[in-house]
Amino acid sequence: MRDRIAQVLDRLSPAERKVAELVAADPAGTMAATVASLARAAGVSEPTVVRFCRSLGYEGFADLRLALNRADAVAEGTAPPRPPRVIEAGMPIAEATGAVFDSAIASLTAARRQLDGAAVERAAIALVRAGRVEVWGLGAAAGLAMDLAHRLMATCRGVVARHDPDAQALAAATLDGESVVLCLSLTGRSRAVVQAAREAAAAGATVIALTRPASPLAAAATHLVSCVVEERTALRAPLTSRLVQFAFGDAICVAVALLAPPAAEARHARMTEALESRRIAP
């Protein structure tokens, strides 16, 4: 990456050079950064960061970060993921579907490198000890909230998922010091979730946030499980950010299962049996 930056350095604007110097000096920090945090650190605007990425030949910051992760993988002797292809109008369907999987693999590989095992363990300990567990998410995160609640029923007490802002506000008013709330948001800026998280914390509950660091939701949390992933909004772009969020949630559930008391095994068996009885026999 330093060689690539050196090749274009003379063509960069003064503001872009500030970004270049920061990326070259701290590749690891760049991999964990966002466009906003990198812009603040370099003292430039967010569009300047994007222009710098394009000056290097990347579509945007997400692709720059993936390139840094691939370079890091090569340095560690591990196989880098296949570079994701941009899905464009007119691309054959078979090729486009392959690109979706390439993007998923690349995004999950990059996310794996930022996962903080210690943060996951702190969150898991809080969930296992809780007398009541609430899982909150809105919009696309609502599906993840439901999934995590189902997973945590076997290992935690009083688990419920809520994806309605009013229901979250009402629940926050009933929480206490034995309650834990797991809040889900890719951006950390969902107004309703942030407000409910603040109200839950004020009631004495432990708030776990699976979200972007340096966000309003992260600031409201007792424990942060940092999840930095660029959410692509182009019409044809694969939504790999959702896969990353689900993988982080899965990591939390597995950690909870490892810490859960032996009774969780029997509870899980009863839950499995209850579902099986509702399926049509083959």
Short mmCIF file of all heavy atoms in Angstrom, two decimals, residues 8-54:
data_model
loop_
_atom_site.label_atom_id
_atom_site.label_comp_id
_atom_site.label_asym_id
_atom_site.label_seq_id
_atom_site.Cartn_x
_atom_site.Cartn_y
_atom_site.Cartn_z
N VAL A 8 1.36 7.76 -6.54
CA VAL A 8 0.39 8.81 -6.88
C VAL A 8 0.56 10.06 -6.02
O VAL A 8 -0.19 11.02 -6.18
CB VAL A 8 -1.06 8.29 -6.73
CG1 VAL A 8 -1.29 7.08 -7.61
CG2 VAL A 8 -1.38 7.96 -5.27
N LEU A 9 1.54 10.05 -5.13
CA LEU A 9 1.67 11.14 -4.16
C LEU A 9 1.76 12.51 -4.82
O LEU A 9 1.15 13.48 -4.36
CB LEU A 9 2.89 10.89 -3.27
CG LEU A 9 3.01 11.77 -2.02
CD1 LEU A 9 1.81 11.56 -1.11
CD2 LEU A 9 4.30 11.47 -1.28
N ASP A 10 2.50 12.60 -5.91
CA ASP A 10 2.68 13.90 -6.57
C ASP A 10 1.39 14.43 -7.18
O ASP A 10 1.27 15.63 -7.43
CB ASP A 10 3.75 13.78 -7.67
CG ASP A 10 5.14 13.54 -7.10
OD1 ASP A 10 5.33 13.83 -5.90
OD2 ASP A 10 6.01 13.05 -7.83
N ARG A 11 0.44 13.54 -7.43
CA ARG A 11 -0.81 13.97 -8.07
C ARG A 11 -1.91 14.28 -7.05
O ARG A 11 -3.00 14.70 -7.43
CB ARG A 11 -1.30 12.87 -9.03
CG ARG A 11 -0.31 12.53 -10.13
CD ARG A 11 -0.98 11.75 -11.26
NE ARG A 11 -1.51 10.48 -10.82
CZ ARG A 11 -0.80 9.34 -10.80
NH1 ARG A 11 0.47 9.35 -11.20
NH2 ARG A 11 -1.34 8.21 -10.41
N LEU A 12 -1.63 14.05 -5.78
CA LEU A 12 -2.64 14.28 -4.75
C LEU A 12 -2.70 15.75 -4.35
O LEU A 12 -1.69 16.45 -4.37
CB LEU A 12 -2.33 13.43 -3.51
CG LEU A 12 -2.31 11.91 -3.69
CD1 LEU A 12 -1.96 11.24 -2.37
CD2 LEU A 12 -3.65 11.41 -4.20
N SER A 13 -3.88 16.18 -3.95
CA SER A 13 -4.03 17.53 -3.42
C SER A 13 -3.42 17.57 -2.02
O SER A 13 -3.20 16.52 -1.39
CB SER A 13 -5.52 17.89 -3.35
OG SER A 13 -6.16 17.10 -2.36
N PRO A 14 -3.15 18.76 -1.49
CA PRO A 14 -2.60 18.85 -0.12
C PRO A 14 -3.46 18.14 0.91
O PRO A 14 -2.94 17.48 1.82
CB PRO A 14 -2.55 20.36 0.13
CG PRO A 14 -2.38 20.95 -1.24
CD PRO A 14 -3.20 20.08 -2.14
N ALA A 15 -4.79 18.25 0.77
CA ALA A 15 -5.68 17.59 1.73
C ALA A 15 -5.59 16.07 1.59
O ALA A 15 -5.56 15.34 2.59
CB ALA A 15 -7.12 18.06 1.52
N GLU A 16 -5.54 15.58 0.35
CA GLU A 16 -5.43 14.14 0.14
C GLU A 16 -4.11 13.60 0.67
O GLU A 16 -4.03 12.47 1.15
CB GLU A 16 -5.57 13.82 -1.35
CG GLU A 16 -6.98 13.97 -1.90
CD GLU A 16 -7.04 13.71 -3.39
OE1 GLU A 16 -6.61 14.60 -4.17
OE2 GLU A 16 -7.50 12.62 -3.77
N ARG A 17 -3.06 14.42 0.60
CA ARG A 17 -1.76 13.98 1.12
C ARG A 17 -1.82 13.75 2.63
O ARG A 17 -1.14 12.87 3.16
CB ARG A 17 -0.69 15.01 0.79
CG ARG A 17 -0.31 15.04 -0.68
CD ARG A 17 0.84 15.99 -0.94
NE ARG A 17 1.13 16.09 -2.37
CZ ARG A 17 2.11 16.82 -2.87
NH1 ARG A 17 2.88 17.53 -2.06
NH2 ARG A 17 2.31 16.85 -4.18
N LYS A 18 -2.63 14.54 3.32
CA LYS A 18 -2.78 14.33 4.76
C LYS A 18 -3.36 12.94 5.04
O LYS A 18 -2.93 12.24 5.95
CB LYS A 18 -3.69 15.40 5.36
CG LYS A 18 -3.10 16.80 5.36
CD LYS A 18 -4.08 17.78 6.00
CE LYS A 18 -3.51 19.19 6.02
NZ LYS A 18 -4.46 20.16 6.63
N VAL A 19 -4.34 12.56 4.22
CA VAL A 19 -4.93 11.22 4.37
C VAL A 19 -3.90 10.16 4.02
O VAL A 19 -3.77 9.14 4.71
CB VAL A 19 -6.17 11.07 3.47
CG1 VAL A 19 -6.82 9.70 3.67
CG2 VAL A 19 -7.19 12.17 3.74
N ALA A 20 -3.15 10.40 2.94
CA ALA A 20 -2.13 9.44 2.51
C ALA A 20 -1.10 9.19 3.60
O ALA A 20 -0.70 8.05 3.87
CB ALA A 20 -1.45 9.95 1.24
N GLU A 21 -0.66 10.26 4.24
CA GLU A 21 0.34 10.13 5.30
C GLU A 21 -0.20 9.31 6.47
O GLU A 21 0.51 8.49 7.06
CB GLU A 21 0.77 11.52 5.77
CG GLU A 21 1.57 12.29 4.73
CD GLU A 21 1.77 13.75 5.11
OE1 GLU A 21 1.26 14.15 6.19
OE2 GLU A 21 2.41 14.49 4.34
N LEU A 22 -1.46 9.54 6.80
CA LEU A 22 -2.07 8.82 7.92
C LEU A 22 -2.23 7.34 7.59
O LEU A 22 -1.93 6.47 8.42
CB LEU A 22 -3.43 9.44 8.25
CG LEU A 22 -4.11 8.98 9.53
CD1 LEU A 22 -3.24 9.28 10.74
CD2 LEU A 22 -5.46 9.66 9.69
N VAL A 23 -2.69 7.03 6.38
CA VAL A 23 -2.88 5.63 5.98
C VAL A 23 -1.54 4.90 5.92
O VAL A 23 -1.41 3.76 6.39
CB VAL A 23 -3.59 5.55 4.61
CG1 VAL A 23 -3.61 4.12 4.09
CG2 VAL A 23 -5.01 6.10 4.72
N ALA A 24 -0.53 5.55 5.36
CA ALA A 24 0.78 4.92 5.25
C ALA A 24 1.41 4.69 6.62
O ALA A 24 2.09 3.68 6.85
CB ALA A 24 1.70 5.79 4.40
N ALA A 25 1.16 5.61 7.55
CA ALA A 25 1.77 5.50 8.88
C ALA A 25 1.04 4.49 9.77
O ALA A 25 1.66 3.87 10.64
CB ALA A 25 1.77 6.86 9.56
N ASP A 26 -0.26 4.30 9.54
CA ASP A 26 -1.03 3.42 10.43
C ASP A 26 -2.05 2.60 9.64
O ASP A 26 -3.25 2.83 9.72
CB ASP A 26 -1.75 4.27 11.48
CG ASP A 26 -2.45 3.43 12.55
OD1 ASP A 26 -2.16 2.22 12.63
OD2 ASP A 26 -3.29 3.98 13.29
N PRO A 27 -1.58 1.60 8.88
CA PRO A 27 -2.52 0.75 8.12
C PRO A 27 -3.51 0.02 9.01
O PRO A 27 -4.68 -0.11 8.67
CB PRO A 27 -1.59 -0.23 7.39
CG PRO A 27 -0.25 0.42 7.39
CD PRO A 27 -0.18 1.23 8.64
N ALA A 28 -3.04 -0.45 10.18
CA ALA A 28 -3.94 -1.19 11.08
C ALA A 28 -5.05 -0.28 11.59
O ALA A 28 -6.21 -0.69 11.67
CB ALA A 28 -3.15 -1.76 12.25
N GLY A 29 -4.69 0.95 11.93
CA GLY A 29 -5.70 1.90 12.38
C GLY A 29 -6.70 2.23 11.29
O GLY A 29 -7.89 2.41 11.56
N THR A 30 -6.22 2.30 10.06
CA THR A 30 -7.10 2.58 8.93
C THR A 30 -8.10 1.44 8.73
O THR A 30 -9.26 1.67 8.41
CB THR A 30 -6.28 2.78 7.64
OG1 THR A 30 -5.34 3.85 7.85
CG2 THR A 30 -7.18 3.13 6.47
N MET A 31 -7.65 0.20 8.93
CA MET A 31 -8.55 -0.95 8.76
C MET A 31 -9.70 -0.91 9.75
O MET A 31 -10.79 -1.39 9.47
CB MET A 31 -7.77 -2.26 8.92
CG MET A 31 -6.93 -2.62 7.72
SD MET A 31 -6.22 -4.29 7.85
CE MET A 31 -4.83 -3.99 8.93
N ALA A 32 -9.47 -0.32 10.93
CA ALA A 32 -10.51 -0.25 11.95
C ALA A 32 -11.28 1.07 11.93
O ALA A 32 -12.19 1.27 12.72
CB ALA A 32 -9.89 -0.44 13.33
N ALA A 33 -10.91 1.96 11.00
CA ALA A 33 -11.50 3.29 10.97
C ALA A 33 -12.75 3.33 10.10
O ALA A 33 -13.08 2.38 9.40
CB ALA A 33 -10.48 4.30 10.45
N THR A 34 -13.43 4.45 10.17
CA THR A 34 -14.54 4.76 9.26
C THR A 34 -14.13 5.98 8.45
O THR A 34 -13.12 6.63 8.75
CB THR A 34 -15.82 5.07 10.04
OG1 THR A 34 -15.62 6.28 10.81
CG2 THR A 34 -16.19 3.93 10.98
N VAL A 35 -14.91 6.29 7.43
CA VAL A 35 -14.62 7.50 6.66
C VAL A 35 -14.60 8.71 7.57
O VAL A 35 -13.71 9.56 7.50
CB VAL A 35 -15.67 7.69 5.54
CG1 VAL A 35 -15.48 9.04 4.86
CG2 VAL A 35 -15.56 6.58 4.50
N ALA A 36 -15.59 8.79 8.47
CA ALA A 36 -15.69 9.95 9.36
C ALA A 36 -14.51 10.03 10.32
O ALA A 36 -13.92 11.10 10.51
CB ALA A 36 -17.01 9.89 10.13
N SER A 37 -14.15 8.90 10.94
CA SER A 37 -13.06 8.94 11.92
C SER A 37 -11.71 9.20 11.25
O SER A 37 -10.86 9.90 11.80
CB SER A 37 -13.01 7.63 12.71
OG SER A 37 -12.70 6.53 11.87
N LEU A 38 -11.51 8.65 10.04
CA LEU A 38 -10.26 8.90 9.33
C LEU A 38 -10.17 10.37 8.91
O LEU A 38 -9.10 10.99 8.99
CB LEU A 38 -10.17 7.99 8.10
CG LEU A 38 -8.83 8.01 7.34
CD1 LEU A 38 -7.70 7.54 8.24
CD2 LEU A 38 -8.91 7.14 6.10
N ALA A 39 -11.30 10.93 8.48
CA ALA A 39 -11.33 12.35 8.10
C ALA A 39 -10.99 13.23 9.29
O ALA A 39 -10.21 14.19 9.17
CB ALA A 39 -12.70 12.71 7.53
N ARG A 40 -11.57 12.90 10.45
CA ARG A 40 -11.27 13.70 11.66
C ARG A 40 -9.80 13.60 12.03
O ARG A 40 -9.16 14.59 12.39
CB ARG A 40 -12.14 13.21 12.83
CG ARG A 40 -13.58 13.66 12.76
CD ARG A 40 -14.27 13.47 14.11
NE ARG A 40 -14.26 12.07 14.52
CZ ARG A 40 -15.20 11.20 14.23
NH1 ARG A 40 -16.23 11.56 13.48
NH2 ARG A 40 -15.12 9.95 14.66
N ALA A 41 -9.26 12.38 11.97
CA ALA A 41 -7.86 12.18 12.35
C ALA A 41 -6.91 12.93 11.42
O ALA A 41 -5.87 13.43 11.86
CB ALA A 41 -7.53 10.69 12.35
N ALA A 42 -7.27 13.01 10.14
CA ALA A 42 -6.42 13.69 9.17
C ALA A 42 -6.70 15.19 9.09
O ALA A 42 -5.93 15.93 8.46
CB ALA A 42 -6.60 13.06 7.79
N GLY A 43 -7.79 15.62 9.69
CA GLY A 43 -8.15 17.03 9.65
C GLY A 43 -8.67 17.47 8.29
O GLY A 43 -8.42 18.60 7.86
N VAL A 44 -9.40 16.56 7.62
CA VAL A 44 -9.94 16.87 6.29
C VAL A 44 -11.42 16.51 6.27
O VAL A 44 -11.97 15.99 7.25
CB VAL A 44 -9.19 16.10 5.18
CG1 VAL A 44 -7.71 16.45 5.19
CG2 VAL A 44 -9.38 14.59 5.35
N SER A 45 -12.07 16.76 5.15
CA SER A 45 -13.48 16.42 5.01
C SER A 45 -13.64 14.96 4.59
O SER A 45 -12.70 14.35 4.06
CB SER A 45 -14.15 17.32 3.96
OG SER A 45 -13.62 17.05 2.67
N GLU A 46 -14.84 14.42 4.80
CA GLU A 46 -15.10 13.04 4.39
C GLU A 46 -15.00 12.85 2.88
O GLU A 46 -14.45 11.84 2.42
CB GLU A 46 -16.47 12.60 4.91
CG GLU A 46 -16.52 12.49 6.43
CD GLU A 46 -17.87 12.01 6.95
OE1 GLU A 46 -18.56 11.27 6.21
OE2 GLU A 46 -18.23 12.37 8.09
N PRO A 47 -15.50 13.80 2.06
CA PRO A 47 -15.32 13.65 0.60
C PRO A 47 -13.85 13.58 0.19
O PRO A 47 -13.51 12.92 -0.79
CB PRO A 47 -16.00 14.90 0.04
CG PRO A 47 -17.05 15.24 1.04
CD PRO A 47 -16.42 14.92 2.36
N THR A 48 -12.97 14.24 0.96
CA THR A 48 -11.54 14.18 0.65
C THR A 48 -11.01 12.76 0.82
O THR A 48 -10.20 12.28 0.02
CB THR A 48 -10.75 15.14 1.55
OG1 THR A 48 -11.16 16.47 1.29
CG2 THR A 48 -9.25 15.02 1.30
N VAL A 49 -11.49 12.06 1.85
CA VAL A 49 -11.08 10.67 2.07
C VAL A 49 -11.51 9.81 0.89
O VAL A 49 -10.75 8.98 0.39
CB VAL A 49 -11.68 10.12 3.38
CG1 VAL A 49 -11.40 8.63 3.51
CG2 VAL A 49 -11.12 10.87 4.58
N VAL A 50 -12.74 10.02 0.43
CA VAL A 50 -13.25 9.24 -0.71
C VAL A 50 -12.44 9.55 -1.97
O VAL A 50 -12.09 8.65 -2.74
CB VAL A 50 -14.75 9.53 -0.93
CG1 VAL A 50 -15.25 8.80 -2.18
CG2 VAL A 50 -15.56 9.11 0.29
N ARG A 51 -12.13 10.84 -2.19
CA ARG A 51 -11.32 11.21 -3.36
C ARG A 51 -9.94 10.58 -3.30
O ARG A 51 -9.40 10.13 -4.32
CB ARG A 51 -11.21 12.73 -3.46
CG ARG A 51 -12.47 13.42 -3.97
CD ARG A 51 -12.19 14.85 -4.40
NE ARG A 51 -11.73 15.66 -3.28
CZ ARG A 51 -12.54 16.34 -2.47
NH1 ARG A 51 -13.85 16.28 -2.65
NH2 ARG A 51 -12.06 17.07 -1.48
N PHE A 52 -9.36 10.52 -2.11
CA PHE A 52 -8.06 9.88 -1.96
C PHE A 52 -8.14 8.40 -2.35
O PHE A 52 -7.26 7.89 -3.06
CB PHE A 52 -7.58 10.01 -0.51
CG PHE A 52 -6.46 9.07 -0.15
CD1 PHE A 52 -5.18 9.28 -0.64
CD2 PHE A 52 -6.69 7.97 0.66
CE1 PHE A 52 -4.14 8.40 -0.32
CE2 PHE A 52 -5.68 7.10 0.98
CZ PHE A 52 -4.39 7.31 0.49
N CYS A 53 -9.18 7.73 -1.89
CA CYS A 53 -9.35 6.31 -2.23
C CYS A 53 -9.45 6.12 -3.74
O CYS A 53 -8.84 5.21 -4.31
CB CYS A 53 -10.60 5.75 -1.56
SG CYS A 53 -10.54 5.74 0.25
N ARG A 54 -10.19 7.00 -4.39
CA ARG A 54 -10.35 6.89 -5.84
C ARG A 54 -9.06 7.24 -6.58
O ARG A 54 -8.80 6.71 -7.65
CB ARG A 54 -11.51 7.78 -6.29
CG ARG A 54 -12.86 7.23 -5.82
CD ARG A 54 -14.01 8.15 -6.12
NE ARG A 54 -15.28 7.53 -5.70
CZ ARG A 54 -16.43 8.17 -5.62
NH1 ARG A 54 -16.51 9.46 -5.94
NH2 ARG A 54 -17.52 7.54 -5.22
#
